[in-house]
């Protein structure tokens, strides 16, 4: 029934959002470096993804060499995003890294009209300026901490790497068959 699926979907989203929100706090609590954390985070996911890909025949059949090569740039940018993020939380506050990273939609707005024919309305552009101003105020408020400036720069690198990953993934996804898109959308 649709009602049961909706409840299950909301529960899954709630777990994902809570896990995503908690992950930064957990990473800050771990006494390891950003590169080590990023390495394990990325390599532990690979077996899970391969099991998923190999267990869905339609997915396995649709993902060929072109798709693999097309996804490599996105993979490198995602790995860079993870490296910058996990290192940044060791040098600045979680709030700074998270708020800087939350500007990703603003960067997408700068190129979305040209790349994807998705222009932004004046209202959205105004809200983006407010978001940028708020981020500047939060980051400015923590500049008194010893290594916050370096951590904030890593947070900005994280922002650009994640934005690049998002844009490249969106572009690559346009070349994937509708059947594969449907597998990832459900």
């Amino acid at each position: 029934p649709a009602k049961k699926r909706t409840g299950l979907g909301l529960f899954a989203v709630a777990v994902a959002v809570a896990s995503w929100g908690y992950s930064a706090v957990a990473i800050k609590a771990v006494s390891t470096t950003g590169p080590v954390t990023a390495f394990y985070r990325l390599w532990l996911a690979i077996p899970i993804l391969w099991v998923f890909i190999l267990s869905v025949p339609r997915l396995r059949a649709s993902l060929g060499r072109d798709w693999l090569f097309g996804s490599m740039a996105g993979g490198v940018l995602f790995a860079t995003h993870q490296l910058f993020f996990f290192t940044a939380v060791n040098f600045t506050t979680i709030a700074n890294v998270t708020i800087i990273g939350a500007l990703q939609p603003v960067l997408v707005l700068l190129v979305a009209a040209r790349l994807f024919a998705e222009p932004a309305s004046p209202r959205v552009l105004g809200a983006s300026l407010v978001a940028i101003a708020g981020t500047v105020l939060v980051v400015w408020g923590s500049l008194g901490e010893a290594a916050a400036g370096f951590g904030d720069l890593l947070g900005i690198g994280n922002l650009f790497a994640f934005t690049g990953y998002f844009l490249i993934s969106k572009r690559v996804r346009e070349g994937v068959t509708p059947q594969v898109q449907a597998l990832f959308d459900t």
Side-chain angles (χ1 to χ4, degrees):
K3 190 171 188 167
K4 184 177 181 181
R5 286 192 354 220
T6 300
L8 185 60
L10 289 174
F11 175 74
V13 168
V15 168
V17 169
S19 299
W20 196 358
Y22 178 73
S23 67
V25 176
I27 296 307
K28 186 111 177 169
V30 174
S31 63
T32 187
T33 64
V36 170
T37 305
F39 175 84
Y40 284 111
R41 158 63 171 86
L42 292 168
W43 283 103
L44 288 175
I46 288 176
I48 295 168
L49 292 173
W50 275 108
V51 166
F52 175 71
I53 288 170
L54 294 175
S55 66
V56 180
R58 287 189 320 173
L59 182 57
R60 186 176 60 237
S62 298
L63 300 178
R65 188 181 314 218
D66 292 340
W67 187 86
L68 174 67
F69 288 123
S71 65
M72 284 181 150
V76 168
L77 284 167
F78 187 77
T80 303
H81 144 68
Q82 294 284 288
L83 179 66
F84 283 170
F85 179 84
F86 292 138
T87 304
V89 297
N90 290 320
F91 288 98
T92 191
T93 65
I94 295 169
N96 281 17
V97 179
T98 304
I99 290 173
I100 291 169
L103 289 177
Q104 184 259 349
V106 175
L107 288 184
V108 171
L109 281 176
L110 296 175
V111 296
R114 191 170 51 110
L115 289 178
F116 307 112
E118 298 175 6
S121 68
R123 181 177 175 192
V124 169
L125 293 173
S128 297
L129 291 175
V130 171
I132 291 169
T135 301
V136 167
L137 289 174
V138 169
V139 171
W140 189 353
S142 69
L143 285 179
E145 297 179 27
F150 178 66
D152 294 339
L153 288 175
L154 288 171
I156 292 169
N158 168 55
L159 167 65
F160 280 97
F162 190 69
T163 302
Y165 158 73
F166 177 83
L167 292 171
I168 286 175
S169 297
K170 184 170 172 62
R171 178 65 73 192
V172 168
R173 192 166 179 236
E174 291 173 350
V176 175
T177 65
Q179 293 82 7
V180 173
Q181 286 184 14
L183 286 170
F184 286 109
D185 289 341
T186 57

